[in-house]
Amino acid sequence: DARTDLVKCPSPGCTLRVVVADPTAVEKCDCGCGFSFCSQCKGPWHYLGECDDIPELSAKWLTWMEQGREQQSGDLDERAAERFAEFKRRYEEQMADEQWKVAHCKCCPKCMRPVEKT
């Protein structure tokens, strides 16, 4: 019998499962690895959006941060532009790190942290 109240963590390299109260409901899952995700779409936890809307909303938000924000609120001051550039750099670095972990890491069977495959 497969347990329907267990949801596998989608974080790269994590093999943990989280118990959910209602397998048919959208629930926030806080995994032991530190990743919080949606029980239904397995994406990062989204507080108020529907699962199907998140990819489009994320793309719109990034576009707004790059272009629309300046149009809406006038020219970005230098400090805000630097903060956004740093945010974007960190986001891209984190995505590259996660892709590298998927290809080159597995979870340690003792501590469940990502370790490089041998």
Side-chain angles (χ1 to χ4, degrees), residues 13-30:
C14 183
T15 59
L16 297 176
R17 299 191 186 305
V18 177
V19 177
V20 293
D22 180 358
T24 63
V26 172
E27 292 184 30
K28 179 181 181 186
C29 297
D30 292 313

Side-chain angles (χ1 to χ4, degrees), residues 50-67:
E50 296 293 325
C51 297
D52 293 340
D53 298 336
I54 299 307
E56 182 182 351
L57 290 172
S58 295
K60 284 181 178 181
W61 179 81
L62 189 56
T63 299
W64 178 79
M65 288 296 289
E66 290 177 332
Q67 302 163 4

Side-chain angles (χ1 to χ4, degrees), residues 103-117:
H104 298 97
C105 293
K106 63 180 181 179
C107 279
C108 171
K110 292 182 183 177
C111 68
M112 301 311 294
R113 296 187 63 100
V115 294
E116 193 166 356
K117 294 177 184 175

Side-chain angles (χ1 to χ4, degrees), residues 7-12 18 20 25-31 33-55 58 91 94-95:
V7 180
K8 185 187 176 312
C9 177
S11 182
V18 177
V20 293
V26 172
E27 292 184 30
K28 179 181 181 186
C29 297
D30 292 313
C31 184
C33 72
F35 185 65
S36 294
F37 64 96
C38 172
S39 64
Q40 295 302 305
C41 69
K42 312 301 185 281
W45 175 241
H46 46 90
Y47 295 92
L48 299 174
E50 296 293 325
C51 297
D52 293 340
D53 298 336
I54 299 307
S58 295
Y91 175 80
Q94 181 180 9
M95 292 299 105

